[in-house]
Amino acid sequence: MSPQEHQNRRLLRARDAMDRDFARPLDVAALAGIALMSPTHFTRSFRSTFGETPHRYLQRRRIERAMALLRSPSVTVTEVAGQVGFGSLGTFSRTFRAIVGVSPTEYRTSARPLGVPVCFVKAWARPSRFG
């Protein structure tokens, strides 16, 4: 295995941790520990490999999950914010608007249940814009 492949595997391990534990408080130091790198080297390598910083990836991942949860009318916006790892409703709303372009409440109002597989919805509705 080449050194680049070895590094990519360690970065994927950290990204998998973000995908799995996105609702938990995660910081760069902990993620760098998973990837067995220094925080600075981890951030630089993650960005060059995946095209975005670890923080931005984690926020986008949380907002993707929030978008799915907001389709259910039985969960409040505040509960959604907590379930996806935001400690503050204000931070959640500001981040949601920066990525999606509308507030969580506006998104909920316009979102309708779709009769297609969830994997298709995730791929189609993946937020690509960030502030």
Side-chain angles (χ1 to χ4, degrees):
M1 181 182 325
S2 73
Q4 185 63 42
E5 288 173 337
H6 187 62
Q7 176 176 300
N8 288 345
R9 283 181 182 235
R10 291 184 290 156
L11 290 170
L12 283 170
R13 203 176 314 142
R15 193 177 77 171
D16 288 346
M18 285 191 269
D19 289 339
R20 184 181 55 246
D21 300 326
F22 63 87
R24 291 184 26 215
L26 293 171
D27 59 7
V28 171
L31 295 168
I34 292 169
L36 305 175
M37 297 177 182
S38 73
T40 304
H41 183 64
F42 171 70
T43 300
R44 195 174 338 119
S45 299
F46 192 95
R47 185 176 188 156
S48 75
T49 302
F50 299 114
E52 59 188 343
T53 65
H55 178 72
R56 182 171 289 187
Y57 178 82
L58 182 59
Q59 284 194 325
R60 190 170 51 78
R61 183 70 184 94
R62 287 175 171 166
I63 295 302
E64 285 175 2
R65 180 66 183 141
M67 291 170 71
L69 291 172
L70 285 169
R71 291 185 184 277
S72 170
S74 64
V75 184
T76 68
V77 173
T78 303
E79 290 170 340
V80 169
Q83 287 182 18
V84 297
F86 285 91
S88 158
L89 180 59
T91 302
F92 170 67
S93 295
R94 189 174 43 254
T95 305
F96 192 95
R97 183 181 288 276
I99 294 174
V100 180
V102 296
S103 73
T105 303
E106 291 169 332
Y107 178 79
R108 167 174 272 169
T109 303
S110 66
R112 290 172 280 150
L114 302 173
V116 295
V118 174
C119 60
F120 179 78
V121 173
K122 283 183 178 179
W124 187 261
R126 174 168 284 200
S128 59
R129 193 174 84 177
F130 198 99

PDB file of all heavy atoms in Angstrom, residues 8-22 26 31 34 46 50 57 61:
ATOM      1  N   ASN A   8      -5.160   8.142   2.769  1.00  0.00           N
ATOM      2  CA  ASN A   8      -6.566   8.214   2.383  1.00  0.00           C
ATOM      3  C   ASN A   8      -7.433   7.306   3.251  1.00  0.00           C
ATOM      4  O   ASN A   8      -8.553   7.668   3.608  1.00  0.00           O
ATOM      5  CB  ASN A   8      -6.734   7.858   0.910  1.00  0.00           C
ATOM      6  CG  ASN A   8      -6.227   8.947  -0.007  1.00  0.00           C
ATOM      7  OD1 ASN A   8      -6.002  10.078   0.421  1.00  0.00           O
ATOM      8  ND2 ASN A   8      -6.012   8.613  -1.269  1.00  0.00           N
ATOM      9  N   ARG A   9      -6.926   6.142   3.598  1.00  0.00           N
ATOM     10  CA  ARG A   9      -7.684   5.241   4.471  1.00  0.00           C
ATOM     11  C   ARG A   9      -7.907   5.867   5.841  1.00  0.00           C
ATOM     12  O   ARG A   9      -8.992   5.766   6.415  1.00  0.00           O
ATOM     13  CB  ARG A   9      -6.961   3.909   4.629  1.00  0.00           C
ATOM     14  CG  ARG A   9      -7.105   3.033   3.442  1.00  0.00           C
ATOM     15  CD  ARG A   9      -6.394   1.721   3.641  1.00  0.00           C
ATOM     16  NE  ARG A   9      -6.520   0.931   2.453  1.00  0.00           N
ATOM     17  CZ  ARG A   9      -7.014  -0.292   2.425  1.00  0.00           C
ATOM     18  NH1 ARG A   9      -7.380  -0.864   3.532  1.00  0.00           N
ATOM     19  NH2 ARG A   9      -7.115  -0.943   1.293  1.00  0.00           N
ATOM     20  N   ARG A  10      -6.871   6.540   6.364  1.00  0.00           N
ATOM     21  CA  ARG A  10      -7.026   7.185   7.673  1.00  0.00           C
ATOM     22  C   ARG A  10      -8.021   8.347   7.593  1.00  0.00           C
ATOM     23  O   ARG A  10      -8.814   8.561   8.502  1.00  0.00           O
ATOM     24  CB  ARG A  10      -5.670   7.657   8.188  1.00  0.00           C
ATOM     25  CG  ARG A  10      -4.780   6.458   8.553  1.00  0.00           C
ATOM     26  CD  ARG A  10      -3.474   6.868   9.159  1.00  0.00           C
ATOM     27  NE  ARG A  10      -2.656   7.497   8.132  1.00  0.00           N
ATOM     28  CZ  ARG A  10      -1.680   8.360   8.375  1.00  0.00           C
ATOM     29  NH1 ARG A  10      -1.401   8.708   9.597  1.00  0.00           N
ATOM     30  NH2 ARG A  10      -0.987   8.872   7.395  1.00  0.00           N
ATOM     31  N   LEU A  11      -7.994   9.079   6.485  1.00  0.00           N
ATOM     32  CA  LEU A  11      -8.953  10.174   6.316  1.00  0.00           C
ATOM     33  C   LEU A  11     -10.375   9.631   6.193  1.00  0.00           C
ATOM     34  O   LEU A  11     -11.324  10.210   6.742  1.00  0.00           O
ATOM     35  CB  LEU A  11      -8.595  11.011   5.088  1.00  0.00           C
ATOM     36  CG  LEU A  11      -7.340  11.858   5.215  1.00  0.00           C
ATOM     37  CD1 LEU A  11      -6.962  12.459   3.855  1.00  0.00           C
ATOM     38  CD2 LEU A  11      -7.525  12.964   6.244  1.00  0.00           C
ATOM     39  N   LEU A  12     -10.528   8.534   5.483  1.00  0.00           N
ATOM     40  CA  LEU A  12     -11.850   7.917   5.357  1.00  0.00           C
ATOM     41  C   LEU A  12     -12.358   7.429   6.708  1.00  0.00           C
ATOM     42  O   LEU A  12     -13.560   7.511   6.989  1.00  0.00           O
ATOM     43  CB  LEU A  12     -11.810   6.753   4.359  1.00  0.00           C
ATOM     44  CG  LEU A  12     -11.788   7.158   2.895  1.00  0.00           C
ATOM     45  CD1 LEU A  12     -11.509   5.947   2.008  1.00  0.00           C
ATOM     46  CD2 LEU A  12     -13.108   7.803   2.502  1.00  0.00           C
ATOM     47  N   ARG A  13     -11.461   6.951   7.541  1.00  0.00           N
ATOM     48  CA  ARG A  13     -11.853   6.520   8.886  1.00  0.00           C
ATOM     49  C   ARG A  13     -12.425   7.703   9.673  1.00  0.00           C
ATOM     50  O   ARG A  13     -13.454   7.580  10.346  1.00  0.00           O
ATOM     51  CB  ARG A  13     -10.638   5.934   9.603  1.00  0.00           C
ATOM     52  CG  ARG A  13     -10.988   4.990  10.702  1.00  0.00           C
ATOM     53  CD  ARG A  13      -9.785   4.342  11.356  1.00  0.00           C
ATOM     54  NE  ARG A  13      -8.813   3.836  10.401  1.00  0.00           N
ATOM     55  CZ  ARG A  13      -7.495   3.893  10.574  1.00  0.00           C
ATOM     56  NH1 ARG A  13      -6.993   4.425  11.655  1.00  0.00           N
ATOM     57  NH2 ARG A  13      -6.683   3.420   9.677  1.00  0.00           N
ATOM     58  N   ALA A  14     -11.782   8.861   9.566  1.00  0.00           N
ATOM     59  CA  ALA A  14     -12.276  10.063  10.256  1.00  0.00           C
ATOM     60  C   ALA A  14     -13.605  10.532   9.648  1.00  0.00           C
ATOM     61  O   ALA A  14     -14.521  10.928  10.371  1.00  0.00           O
ATOM     62  CB  ALA A  14     -11.235  11.174  10.179  1.00  0.00           C
ATOM     63  N   ARG A  15     -13.709  10.468   8.327  1.00  0.00           N
ATOM     64  CA  ARG A  15     -14.970  10.884   7.694  1.00  0.00           C
ATOM     65  C   ARG A  15     -16.107   9.929   8.059  1.00  0.00           C
ATOM     66  O   ARG A  15     -17.235  10.366   8.280  1.00  0.00           O
ATOM     67  CB  ARG A  15     -14.806  10.967   6.172  1.00  0.00           C
ATOM     68  CG  ARG A  15     -15.958  11.690   5.511  1.00  0.00           C
ATOM     69  CD  ARG A  15     -15.776  11.831   4.052  1.00  0.00           C
ATOM     70  NE  ARG A  15     -16.084  10.545   3.413  1.00  0.00           N
ATOM     71  CZ  ARG A  15     -16.190  10.368   2.107  1.00  0.00           C
ATOM     72  NH1 ARG A  15     -15.980  11.377   1.293  1.00  0.00           N
ATOM     73  NH2 ARG A  15     -16.474   9.194   1.625  1.00  0.00           N
ATOM     74  N   ASP A  16     -15.811   8.646   8.148  1.00  0.00           N
ATOM     75  CA  ASP A  16     -16.819   7.676   8.594  1.00  0.00           C
ATOM     76  C   ASP A  16     -17.279   7.989  10.014  1.00  0.00           C
ATOM     77  O   ASP A  16     -18.459   7.839  10.338  1.00  0.00           O
ATOM     78  CB  ASP A  16     -16.271   6.253   8.523  1.00  0.00           C
ATOM     79  CG  ASP A  16     -16.131   5.746   7.104  1.00  0.00           C
ATOM     80  OD1 ASP A  16     -16.692   6.377   6.183  1.00  0.00           O
ATOM     81  OD2 ASP A  16     -15.440   4.723   6.912  1.00  0.00           O
ATOM     82  N   ALA A  17     -16.349   8.408  10.870  1.00  0.00           N
ATOM     83  CA  ALA A  17     -16.724   8.780  12.243  1.00  0.00           C
ATOM     84  C   ALA A  17     -17.668   9.971  12.237  1.00  0.00           C
ATOM     85  O   ALA A  17     -18.626  10.028  13.014  1.00  0.00           O
ATOM     86  CB  ALA A  17     -15.473   9.083  13.063  1.00  0.00           C
ATOM     87  N   MET A  18     -17.419  10.927  11.334  1.00  0.00           N
ATOM     88  CA  MET A  18     -18.327  12.080  11.233  1.00  0.00           C
ATOM     89  C   MET A  18     -19.697  11.644  10.727  1.00  0.00           C
ATOM     90  O   MET A  18     -20.718  12.128  11.205  1.00  0.00           O
ATOM     91  CB  MET A  18     -17.744  13.151  10.310  1.00  0.00           C
ATOM     92  CG  MET A  18     -16.613  13.934  10.936  1.00  0.00           C
ATOM     93  SD  MET A  18     -16.162  15.373   9.949  1.00  0.00           S
ATOM     94  CE  MET A  18     -14.918  14.643   8.916  1.00  0.00           C
ATOM     95  N   ASP A  19     -19.722  10.737   9.752  1.00  0.00           N
ATOM     96  CA  ASP A  19     -21.001  10.251   9.231  1.00  0.00           C
ATOM     97  C   ASP A  19     -21.793   9.499  10.300  1.00  0.00           C
ATOM     98  O   ASP A  19     -23.005   9.612  10.384  1.00  0.00           O
ATOM     99  CB  ASP A  19     -20.784   9.328   8.031  1.00  0.00           C
ATOM    100  CG  ASP A  19     -20.315  10.070   6.795  1.00  0.00           C
ATOM    101  OD1 ASP A  19     -20.521  11.300   6.718  1.00  0.00           O
ATOM    102  OD2 ASP A  19     -19.728   9.418   5.909  1.00  0.00           O
ATOM    103  N   ARG A  20     -21.093   8.734  11.098  1.00  0.00           N
ATOM    104  CA  ARG A  20     -21.732   7.900  12.113  1.00  0.00           C
ATOM    105  C   ARG A  20     -22.127   8.697  13.353  1.00  0.00           C
ATOM    106  O   ARG A  20     -23.207   8.515  13.899  1.00  0.00           O
ATOM    107  CB  ARG A  20     -20.772   6.769  12.499  1.00  0.00           C
ATOM    108  CG  ARG A  20     -21.293   5.757  13.467  1.00  0.00           C
ATOM    109  CD  ARG A  20     -20.248   4.697  13.801  1.00  0.00           C
ATOM    110  NE  ARG A  20     -19.008   5.272  14.291  1.00  0.00           N
ATOM    111  CZ  ARG A  20     -17.839   5.206  13.648  1.00  0.00           C
ATOM    112  NH1 ARG A  20     -17.741   4.592  12.499  1.00  0.00           N
ATOM    113  NH2 ARG A  20     -16.759   5.770  14.154  1.00  0.00           N
ATOM    114  N   ASP A  21     -21.266   9.615  13.797  1.00  0.00           N
ATOM    115  CA  ASP A  21     -21.467  10.314  15.075  1.00  0.00           C
ATOM    116  C   ASP A  21     -21.699  11.807  14.888  1.00  0.00           C
ATOM    117  O   ASP A  21     -21.300  12.602  15.733  1.00  0.00           O
ATOM    118  CB  ASP A  21     -20.248  10.095  15.976  1.00  0.00           C
ATOM    119  CG  ASP A  21     -20.010   8.630  16.285  1.00  0.00           C
ATOM    120  OD1 ASP A  21     -20.997   7.877  16.401  1.00  0.00           O
ATOM    121  OD2 ASP A  21     -18.839   8.238  16.408  1.00  0.00           O
ATOM    122  N   PHE A  22     -22.358  12.196  13.800  1.00  0.00           N
ATOM    123  CA  PHE A  22     -22.506  13.622  13.510  1.00  0.00           C
ATOM    124  C   PHE A  22     -23.279  14.379  14.579  1.00  0.00           C
ATOM    125  O   PHE A  22     -23.124  15.575  14.731  1.00  0.00           O
ATOM    126  CB  PHE A  22     -23.166  13.837  12.140  1.00  0.00           C
ATOM    127  CG  PHE A  22     -24.565  13.302  12.053  1.00  0.00           C
ATOM    128  CD1 PHE A  22     -25.639  14.062  12.440  1.00  0.00           C
ATOM    129  CD2 PHE A  22     -24.795  12.022  11.588  1.00  0.00           C
ATOM    130  CE1 PHE A  22     -26.928  13.574  12.360  1.00  0.00           C
ATOM    131  CE2 PHE A  22     -26.071  11.516  11.495  1.00  0.00           C
ATOM    132  CZ  PHE A  22     -27.147  12.293  11.893  1.00  0.00           C
ATOM    133  N   LEU A  26     -18.037  16.866  17.997  1.00  0.00           N
ATOM    134  CA  LEU A  26     -16.775  16.402  17.413  1.00  0.00           C
ATOM    135  C   LEU A  26     -15.903  17.614  17.135  1.00  0.00           C
ATOM    136  O   LEU A  26     -16.388  18.615  16.621  1.00  0.00           O
ATOM    137  CB  LEU A  26     -17.038  15.649  16.098  1.00  0.00           C
ATOM    138  CG  LEU A  26     -17.783  14.335  16.189  1.00  0.00           C
ATOM    139  CD1 LEU A  26     -18.140  13.834  14.800  1.00  0.00           C
ATOM    140  CD2 LEU A  26     -16.945  13.308  16.919  1.00  0.00           C
ATOM    141  N   LEU A  31     -10.991  14.205  15.684  1.00  0.00           N
ATOM    142  CA  LEU A  31     -10.993  13.608  14.354  1.00  0.00           C
ATOM    143  C   LEU A  31      -9.569  13.349  13.868  1.00  0.00           C
ATOM    144  O   LEU A  31      -9.297  12.323  13.240  1.00  0.00           O
ATOM    145  CB  LEU A  31     -11.747  14.505  13.372  1.00  0.00           C
ATOM    146  CG  LEU A  31     -13.241  14.646  13.670  1.00  0.00           C
ATOM    147  CD1 LEU A  31     -13.835  15.771  12.842  1.00  0.00           C
ATOM    148  CD2 LEU A  31     -13.958  13.345  13.410  1.00  0.00           C
ATOM    149  N   ILE A  34      -8.367  10.202  15.328  1.00  0.00           N
ATOM    150  CA  ILE A  34      -8.871   9.017  14.618  1.00  0.00           C
ATOM    151  C   ILE A  34      -8.029   8.755  13.368  1.00  0.00           C
ATOM    152  O   ILE A  34      -7.744   7.607  13.032  1.00  0.00           O
ATOM    153  CB  ILE A  34     -10.360   9.218  14.262  1.00  0.00           C
ATOM    154  CG1 ILE A  34     -11.206   9.232  15.538  1.00  0.00           C
ATOM    155  CG2 ILE A  34     -10.852   8.146  13.296  1.00  0.00           C
ATOM    156  CD1 ILE A  34     -12.632   9.673  15.335  1.00  0.00           C
ATOM    157  N   PHE A  46      -7.478  16.658   4.701  1.00  0.00           N
ATOM    158  CA  PHE A  46      -8.909  16.417   4.482  1.00  0.00           C
ATOM    159  C   PHE A  46      -9.422  17.334   3.380  1.00  0.00           C
ATOM    160  O   PHE A  46     -10.132  16.897   2.472  1.00  0.00           O
ATOM    161  CB  PHE A  46      -9.686  16.661   5.784  1.00  0.00           C
ATOM    162  CG  PHE A  46     -11.106  16.181   5.747  1.00  0.00           C
ATOM    163  CD1 PHE A  46     -11.450  14.932   6.237  1.00  0.00           C
ATOM    164  CD2 PHE A  46     -12.123  16.978   5.223  1.00  0.00           C
ATOM    165  CE1 PHE A  46     -12.757  14.476   6.206  1.00  0.00           C
ATOM    166  CE2 PHE A  46     -13.430  16.542   5.180  1.00  0.00           C
ATOM    167  CZ  PHE A  46     -13.751  15.280   5.677  1.00  0.00           C
ATOM    168  N   PHE A  50     -10.973  15.795   0.039  1.00  0.00           N
ATOM    169  CA  PHE A  50     -12.424  15.816  -0.116  1.00  0.00           C
ATOM    170  C   PHE A  50     -12.974  17.152  -0.615  1.00  0.00           C
ATOM    171  O   PHE A  50     -14.174  17.285  -0.851  1.00  0.00           O
ATOM    172  CB  PHE A  50     -13.108  15.444   1.200  1.00  0.00           C
ATOM    173  CG  PHE A  50     -12.757  14.060   1.681  1.00  0.00           C
ATOM    174  CD1 PHE A  50     -12.039  13.878   2.850  1.00  0.00           C
ATOM    175  CD2 PHE A  50     -13.116  12.941   0.955  1.00  0.00           C
ATOM    176  CE1 PHE A  50     -11.706  12.608   3.292  1.00  0.00           C
ATOM    177  CE2 PHE A  50     -12.786  11.665   1.381  1.00  0.00           C
ATOM    178  CZ  PHE A  50     -12.076  11.500   2.553  1.00  0.00           C
ATOM    179  N   TYR A  57     -17.674  19.870   6.216  1.00  0.00           N
ATOM    180  CA  TYR A  57     -18.260  18.552   5.915  1.00  0.00           C
ATOM    181  C   TYR A  57     -19.228  18.141   7.015  1.00  0.00           C
ATOM    182  O   TYR A  57     -20.345  17.684   6.733  1.00  0.00           O
ATOM    183  CB  TYR A  57     -17.163  17.496   5.764  1.00  0.00           C
ATOM    184  CG  TYR A  57     -17.723  16.131   5.494  1.00  0.00           C
ATOM    185  CD1 TYR A  57     -18.091  15.748   4.210  1.00  0.00           C
ATOM    186  CD2 TYR A  57     -17.937  15.222   6.538  1.00  0.00           C
ATOM    187  CE1 TYR A  57     -18.638  14.501   3.956  1.00  0.00           C
ATOM    188  CE2 TYR A  57     -18.486  13.977   6.298  1.00  0.00           C
ATOM    189  CZ  TYR A  57     -18.830  13.623   5.011  1.00  0.00           C
ATOM    190  OH  TYR A  57     -19.391  12.395   4.767  1.00  0.00           O
ATOM    191  N   ARG A  61     -23.224  17.568   6.658  1.00  0.00           N
ATOM    192  CA  ARG A  61     -23.795  16.264   7.034  1.00  0.00           C
ATOM    193  C   ARG A  61     -24.953  16.451   8.017  1.00  0.00           C
ATOM    194  O   ARG A  61     -25.985  15.796   7.907  1.00  0.00           O
ATOM    195  CB  ARG A  61     -22.695  15.397   7.641  1.00  0.00           C
ATOM    196  CG  ARG A  61     -23.106  14.022   8.017  1.00  0.00           C
ATOM    197  CD  ARG A  61     -23.376  13.181   6.785  1.00  0.00           C
ATOM    198  NE  ARG A  61     -23.853  11.880   7.191  1.00  0.00           N
ATOM    199  CZ  ARG A  61     -25.136  11.549   7.299  1.00  0.00           C
ATOM    200  NH1 ARG A  61     -26.060  12.428   6.995  1.00  0.00           N
ATOM    201  NH2 ARG A  61     -25.507  10.370   7.695  1.00  0.00           N
TER     202      ARG A  61
END
